[in-house]
Amino acid sequence: MSVGETALVRLENVSKVYQTGTVALQDINLTIRDGELISFVGPSGCGKSTAFRMIAGLAEPSDGRLEVLGMSPEEARTKGTGVAFVFQDATLLPWRSVWDNVVLPLELRGIPKKRQREEALRVLNLVGLADHVKALPRQLSGGMRMRVSIPGHSSQGRNCY
Ligand SMILES: Nc1ncnc2c1ncn2[C@@H]1O[C@H](COP(=O)(O)OP(=O)(O)OP(=O)(O)O)[C@@H](O)[C@H]1O
Ligand SMILES: [Mg+2]
């Protein structure tokens, strides 16, 4: 991705206070540039997931300014910029098979059936689960459930499959 001088992610004095009164983040400043690999490390409950949810446009900061590729996080998520978010826990529909869970986001985006099949097969091969397409989530290990979940979430950012 070539983005010139535009930061991939920029947080300026970002705070997040939940309705419960919990201050999850306070006055955070961070710039992530093209080519950098960043990890958030900290004790449980220190606000890592909160920061990711805001960067992904799934939660609003209470204060401060947050940009992704020079846009609002919501814009960056929906404009096919390749921004993707993998949740901490697998989020699968328990009544849908592995196959049906993987094609769900493609169905929701109105992708033609033939392309849905090609994409689902490709990503299931990629994560080593092509032999488990008929299994229900409860029949998988935790790691396998995450591997089913990752392509689904990544497909929210259009170019990530
Ligand atoms: N939706 C919510 N409503 C109220 N409080 C919340 C909500 N989500 C998170 N919190 C609180 O905000 C704080 C930060 O939570 P967060 O999930 O960002 O932590 P984390 O660093 O990702 O933790 P972990 O390493 O355990 O995943 C915690 O005190 C948590 O209880
Ligand atoms: Mg977390």
Side-chain angles (χ1 to χ4, degrees):
M1 192 186 302
S2 175
V3 290
E5 290 302 303
T6 308
L8 294 184
V9 174
R10 190 189 301 278
L11 277 72
E12 280 175 18
N13 306 108
V14 167
S15 298
K16 177 69 180 180
V17 184
Y18 284 107
Q19 280 182 341
T20 52
T22 299
V23 181
L25 292 168
Q26 193 165 21
D27 222 7
I28 301 295
N29 288 281
L30 170 74
T31 302
I32 303 177
R33 295 193 174 79
D34 195 13
E36 289 182 326
L37 176 63
I38 306 288
S39 301
F40 288 11
V41 180
S44 181
C46 77
K48 303 177 295 292
S49 291
T50 299
F52 295 143
R53 279 198 295 273
M54 290 193 296
I55 291 167
L58 302 175
E60 293 267 321
S62 312
D63 204 0
R65 190 176 158 76
L66 206 160
E67 279 184 3
V68 176
L69 292 164
M71 308 172 220
S72 76
E74 293 80 2
E75 261 188 295
R77 178 162 53 86
T78 52
K79 273 195 170 170
T81 50
V83 174
F85 182 87
V86 176
F87 289 91
Q88 187 162 348
D89 302 307
T91 46
L92 301 171
L93 295 179
W95 60 89
R96 289 184 77 128
S97 66
V98 165
W99 180 270
D100 289 346
N101 267 286
V102 168
V103 295
L104 181 63
L106 302 167
E107 280 173 19
L108 293 175
R109 275 168 36 211
I111 305 287
K113 283 258 186 248
K114 181 167 178 287
R115 180 130 173 78
Q116 281 182 27
R117 280 195 296 276
E118 290 165 1
E119 288 296 318
L121 202 57
R122 193 175 76 76
V123 294
L124 282 164
N125 273 311
L126 201 65
V127 297
L129 289 174
D131 291 338
H132 296 80
V133 291
K134 289 186 179 161
L136 290 168
R138 68 168 180 273
Q139 297 168 320
L140 304 174
S141 72
M144 289 162 91
R145 278 196 290 271
M146 267 321 276
R147 283 186 280 141
V148 178
S149 202
I150 289 168
H153 293 310
S154 304
S155 70
Q156 305 301 326
R158 257 180 233 164
N159 303 321
C160 294
Y161 257 117

